[in-house]
Amino acid sequence: MTNLEIKESGSRYINRDLSWVEFNWRVLQEAQDPETPLLERAKFLSIVSSNLDEFISVRVAGIQDQIRAGYTKKDFTGYTPAGLYKRLIGRINKMVAAQYRTFRDITKQLHKANIQFLDYEDLNTTQRKAMDTYFHDIVFPVLTPMAVDQSRPFPLVHTQYVYLAVVLQKEGGEAEEEPYFAVVQIPSNLSRLLRLPRHSNSKKQSFMLLEELIKHHIHTLFSGYLPLAVHEFRVTRNADLTIDEEGAEDLLEEIEKELRKRRWGAPVRLEIQKGFHPYALDLLQEEFEIEEAVFEIDGPLDLTFLSKLPGEVKTSPKLKYPPFDPPYPQEFANDEDFFTRLSQQDVLVYHPYECFDALTDFVVQAAEDPSVMAIKMTLYRVSGNSPLIQALADAAESGKQVTVVVELKARFDEERNIAWARKLEKAGCHVVYGLVGLKTHAKILLVVRQEEKDLKRYVHVGTGNYNDITARLYTDIGLFTTHPAIGEDASELFNLITGYSHSHRWQAFTISPLDMMDKLQSLIRREAEHAAAGRPARIIAKMNSLSNQEMIDELYGASAAGVQIDLIVRGVCCLRPGIEGLSDRITVRSIVDRFLEHSRIYYFENGGQPEVWLSSADWMTRNLTRRVELMCPIYDQGIQNMLMRILQLSLDDNVKAKELATTGKYEKAEGHPSQPLRSQFAALQINSWKYPESSPLI
């Protein structure tokens, strides 16, 4: 593409939502890859489904809202809402078709490995007896058939639950009579994946889905009627919350009210089983007012049940990734006192390659230490049984000043965060819900300790959530430091969130929405100036998403000025690389592998004096303008070197990395086939490369 062609077509950018679809295709490719262990392929297929559910309930729902409002203006990538919606539905349809082809291939491969999914008709006598007993004793009592007729209106169909549409005829009735219709919800509080009994000498492990068992016994729910057709359907509703923070007297109560409304969100997508009865389909489409977003599925609806399969199967280790027990960070392994160690050196911890327990242990020690005066922490997403919550509660109950910023608006974690907020308040913590109109997404922990006559600040800054579960699955960076400038800025940041402090001049931090975009733009422009002067100039930026137009334009300008720019962007990327004179010095790569790439690391060559930053923020408009985000410089040269090695591993990956082409499609990263490098597998050997004597790789 020439620059003129780009300007005329308006395609110098890639649309954000279409880019997301490309990302989910890359997840699907992991499910299709024969080199991926079979049960892990099934898990990736589950992730494709859960990703798509969230995307449709939020992003596609938002586009539908724009269409209903009559909004016709094009976005900066050249799409109107109506045009984008049509393109998305087409792409998603193709993806779903490919997903279910992959499902059928995986089930065939599982069958060869003696793992099988059976219909009721395939069961042997022993299995039928066991399943019949389970239905009558456990399932039948919790089922509720809901008829739809003149006296009984259409029941509430909950979002993303599987239901059965039942078309019935009265016994002895005429075939020409209009059929009767009812719906039955598949109980969400029972396991959908049913393990079938097997003979002691059999190698086969068999499973059946709960809906198949219910479908076989559906006649027991409708005595006096004959089931003509029984098919599955599933509705996805708009899940985006609209919260009036300005007018809310109690934000917690306002969010609870909106969560209840989520059940009634406008239907966005209707999934139906292949062969769905036309009479039932007409009723559903009329009720849900859905025309285009109807997906006919050739297989079981909602493949997220596959995420449970690896834990249910007892089989060869070859069908799963090798087990991995992350080591305790070396810096803390032989020293029980965190404060002594951190007074001597800063420490970087790389999850999941090093275990999250170090952070938990640090908070526990701080809670128990009589010299600790205060603990302050932000919580965005935490696990269902978080040890951090208990440690903070213990600290408050022992008389320490504990302040916790709980983000109640963390999408799909609102209810859990409300529960944590109440528990912390009950324990005596000061719980703050952040600033009006902004989500608090920064990840920071501050411990203030009395040491002799002075107070000393211990700070942890992270790129990911304080969540012990996701820390085993996501790649994230955590920095422990006692650097005075970082400590003072940490105190000021909490004052900003909890009080009215706005005038602080940051010594180390860059904060969104105050000055992060300006700072990033100045760093990019500085690289352009270095390049123009013939000095070393390079940018390496690792993030989850890049979609802000201003940031993309700054990168285009730096590339045109001669700066080499390497972007490692896992998900959405609206920048189009490889355009002559505009982005031909920019590479974009994405890595989708065993762990979810989640860390944000920003490197600027700076004329031979490199600067490295950690951040909670991606380069998206929401992160830079509508969230409290944090970007922290790395002062310690040794830790700078570690982060540069992490970046280099990603740049050298030629097994799982995909490179973004000018067309907007992703292609396998080039590399010497005899020297394969899989960055995540190399990172598993963390103790062999984290502290090498050699200089940085970059």
Side-chain angles (χ1 to χ4, degrees):
M1 285 187 183
T2 66
N3 221 349
L4 179 61
E5 289 172 328
I6 294 297
K7 288 179 181 177
E8 289 177 348
S9 66
S11 61
R12 59 188 270 163
Y13 309 102
I14 299 169
N15 179 269
R16 168 183 169 171
D17 295 305
L18 292 173
S19 178
W20 183 92
V21 173
E22 289 299 317
F23 158 68
N24 214 32
W25 272 105
R26 296 196 295 283
V27 179
L28 179 56
Q29 287 168 354
E30 290 302 300
Q32 296 169 334
D33 187 349
E35 297 298 316
T36 302
L38 189 55
L39 288 171
E40 304 295 344
R41 290 176 61 189
K43 191 182 291 185
F44 275 112
L45 210 55
S46 166
I47 295 170
V48 172
S49 287
S50 58
N51 285 350
L52 197 53
D53 284 347
E54 181 172 345
F55 178 72
I56 287 176
S57 66
V58 177
R59 294 297 303 176
V60 175
I63 295 167
Q64 285 188 346
D65 287 344
Q66 289 180 323
I67 294 171
R68 279 192 288 268
Y71 190 80
T72 58
K73 186 178 178 181
K74 291 183 178 180
D75 63 19
F76 75 92
T77 65
Y79 280 92
T80 63
L84 178 58
Y85 180 75
K86 184 175 181 180
R87 181 83 181 273
L88 281 173
I89 294 300
R91 290 291 292 155
I92 291 170
N93 252 318
K94 290 181 180 178
M95 178 190 296
V96 171
Q99 181 188 14
Y100 277 86
R101 286 196 299 271
T102 306
F103 172 74
R104 290 189 288 276
D105 175 59
I106 288 175
T107 53
K108 287 178 184 177
Q109 298 297 322
L110 287 170
H111 189 83
K112 292 178 182 178
N114 292 315
I115 303 166
Q116 56 187 0
F117 293 97
L118 300 179
D119 293 330
Y120 187 90
E121 290 72 21
D122 301 322
L123 305 186
N124 60 37
T125 304
T126 302
Q127 291 169 335
R128 287 193 180 197
K129 184 177 180 180
M131 288 297 100
D132 289 347
T133 300
Y134 181 73
F135 176 81
H136 291 294
D137 292 351
I138 305 298
V139 181
F140 181 82
V142 300
L143 293 178
T144 304
M146 294 175 285
V148 178
D149 54 30
Q150 289 182 340
S151 64
R152 289 170 286 197
F154 211 99
L156 171 63
V157 173
H158 294 279
T159 186
Q160 297 175 10
Y161 284 31
V162 178
Y163 285 79
L164 297 179
V166 188
V167 180
L168 301 149
Q169 180 184 341
K170 226 173 192 179
E171 287 182 355
E174 297 293 332
E176 294 78 15
E177 290 180 359
E178 183 174 350
Y180 295 85
F181 180 73
V183 299
V184 178
Q185 181 185 331
I186 305 301
S188 59
N189 52 357
L190 296 178
S191 174
R192 204 174 154 207
L193 193 62
L194 305 178
R195 175 185 286 279
L196 298 169
R198 60 172 174 167
H199 295 298
S200 58
N201 59 350
S202 174
K203 293 182 179 179
K204 291 188 181 297
Q205 299 181 75
S206 302
F207 299 89
M208 185 172 69
L209 292 178
L210 177 59
E211 57 263 35
E212 293 300 323
L213 179 63
I214 296 173
K215 282 159 76 172
H216 178 79
H217 291 89
I218 198 71
H219 61 280
T220 63
L221 298 173
F222 301 98
S223 59
Y225 292 82
L226 298 174
L228 301 178
V230 186
H231 291 110
E232 301 156 38
F233 73 94
R234 185 171 180 259
V235 172
T236 302
R237 296 182 181 274
N238 187 328
D240 216 8
L241 300 184
T242 304
I243 299 167
D244 179 15
E245 294 185 59
E246 294 279 1
E249 292 184 11
D250 187 316
L251 181 60
L252 188 144
E253 289 184 4
E254 180 71 16
I255 291 175
E256 286 183 314
K257 183 174 71 176
E258 288 298 318
L259 286 174
R260 289 190 290 271
K261 284 185 184 178
R262 186 179 272 172
R263 304 175 195 169
W264 295 95
V268 182
R269 170 185 63 171
L270 173 62
E271 297 168 279
I272 59 172
Q273 193 175 17
K274 187 175 182 181
F276 203 83
H277 196 285
Y279 176 78
L281 179 57
D282 287 344
L283 284 175
L284 294 184
Q285 286 192 269
E286 181 181 355
E287 172 65 23
F288 300 132
E289 299 180 352
I290 292 180
E291 294 181 9
E292 291 182 73
V294 179
F295 295 82
E296 188 177 54
I297 305 298
D298 188 7
L301 305 190
D302 184 14
L303 295 181
T304 57
F305 72 87
L306 290 171
S307 65
K308 303 284 197 306
L309 188 61
E312 292 288 334
V313 169
K314 300 172 184 177
T315 188
S316 165
K318 293 181 181 179
L319 298 185
K320 303 178 186 179
Y321 286 129
F324 171 62
D325 187 17
Y328 207 80
Q330 280 189 358
E331 298 89 341
F332 299 133
N334 298 318
D335 192 338
E336 293 183 1
D337 187 84
F338 286 87
F339 299 112
T340 300
R341 173 60 65 189
L342 294 175
S343 293
Q344 298 166 351
Q345 67 176 110
D346 287 357
V347 175
L348 178 131
V349 180
Y350 190 17
H351 309 298
Y353 311 108
E354 294 175 298
C355 75
F356 188 78
D357 290 350
L359 179 70
T360 303
D361 293 345
F362 174 63
V363 177
V364 169
Q365 183 180 335
E368 296 174 350
D369 190 325
S371 297
V372 168
M373 308 297 290
I375 302 173
K376 302 183 181 186
M377 191 174 192
T378 60
L379 293 178
Y380 190 75
R381 298 186 195 276
V382 292
S383 67
N385 190 27
S386 174
L388 288 174
I389 298 294
Q390 189 59 53
L392 292 169
D394 292 345
E397 288 171 349
S398 68
K400 293 178 171 55
Q401 294 292 311
V402 179
T403 303
V404 187
V405 180
V406 179
E407 182 47 71
L408 296 181
K409 303 183 292 295
R411 185 179 287 130
F412 303 121
D413 275 326
E414 299 97 342
E415 291 183 74
R416 178 180 293 166
N417 286 4
I418 287 170
W420 287 139
R422 286 185 166 142
K423 178 175 180 178
L424 290 168
E425 284 181 330
K426 189 175 180 180
C429 299
H430 300 294
V431 178
V432 179
Y433 303 140
L435 299 170
V436 172
L438 300 173
K439 285 186 180 180
T440 302
H441 193 249
K443 315 300 194 289
I444 184 167
L445 164 66
L446 169 65
V447 174
V448 181
R449 189 170 187 260
Q450 180 77 50
E451 297 185 2
E452 297 180 354
K453 295 182 180 180
D454 298 320
L455 290 179
K456 189 167 185 176
R457 297 179 179 94
Y458 295 81
V459 180
H460 177 275
V461 174
T463 64
N465 298 309
Y466 290 124
N467 186 314
D468 55 301
I469 302 300
T470 57
R472 303 173 199 163
L473 307 171
Y474 296 5
T475 71
D476 270 308
I477 306 290
L479 172 70
F480 290 91
T481 182
T482 58
H483 194 285
I486 292 176
E488 289 183 29
D489 279 3
S491 290
E492 289 296 335
L493 177 58
F494 280 104
N495 290 343
L496 183 151
I497 296 172
T498 63
Y500 291 110
S501 174
H502 288 282
S503 59
H504 180 69
R505 296 186 64 178
W506 306 101
Q507 301 177 60
F509 288 171
T510 299
I511 303 297
S512 168
L514 301 179
D515 62 351
M516 187 178 293
M517 186 181 289
D518 290 343
K519 179 66 174 181
L520 286 167
Q521 290 177 349
S522 71
L523 292 172
I524 294 170
R525 290 169 189 166
R526 187 182 66 184
E527 293 303 309
E529 293 169 2
H530 284 310
R535 295 186 292 270
R538 189 182 184 188
I539 297 170
I540 306 173
K542 184 178 186 300
M543 65 192 84
N544 299 321
S545 298
L546 169 60
S547 62
N548 179 267
Q549 183 183 4
E550 293 179 55
M551 294 301 298
I552 293 170
D553 288 342
E554 290 290 343
L555 292 171
Y556 283 157
S559 171
V563 180
Q564 175 61 40
I565 301 171
D566 295 296
L567 303 175
I568 306 159
V569 186
R570 183 201 75 219
V572 169
C573 182
C574 296
L575 181 147
R576 194 182 295 274
I579 301 171
E580 183 181 351
L582 184 72
S583 59
D584 44 4
R585 289 185 176 85
I586 302 178
T587 68
V588 180
R589 58 175 38 214
S590 169
I591 296 171
V592 178
D593 201 348
R594 175 176 182 173
F595 306 117
L596 181 81
E597 292 289 334
H598 195 254
S599 54
R600 291 93 166 183
I601 309 170
Y602 304 131
Y603 169 92
F604 299 90
E605 180 69 28
N606 190 29
Q609 296 181 328
E611 291 185 1
V612 185
W613 302 72
L614 289 182
S615 184
S616 61
D618 296 314
W619 292 359
M620 303 177 73
T621 301
R622 71 183 188 189
N623 298 95
L624 300 173
T625 64
R626 300 194 301 273
R627 290 184 172 187
V628 177
E629 302 274 14
L630 168 62
M631 191 166 78
C632 177
I634 301 300
Y635 294 118
D636 184 280
Q637 185 61 55
I639 291 179
Q640 274 198 14
N641 292 347
M642 294 177 210
L643 292 170
M644 290 154 69
R645 291 186 194 102
I646 291 170
L647 291 174
Q648 192 66 52
L649 280 177
S650 295
L651 294 176
D652 289 344
D653 191 310
N654 59 4
V655 176
K656 288 299 183 180
K658 300 278 198 316
E659 292 185 346
L660 178 60
T662 310
T663 60
K665 301 296 182 182
Y666 283 79
E667 303 166 352
K668 194 174 188 304
E670 295 183 1
H672 201 287
S674 65
Q675 297 176 320
L677 191 144
R678 189 169 176 176
S679 57
Q680 290 193 358
F681 279 28
L684 289 171
Q685 311 301 320
I686 187 165
N687 286 335
S688 67
W689 60 263
K690 189 177 176 185
Y691 303 106
E693 296 298 325
S694 59
S695 59
L697 301 178
I698 295 174

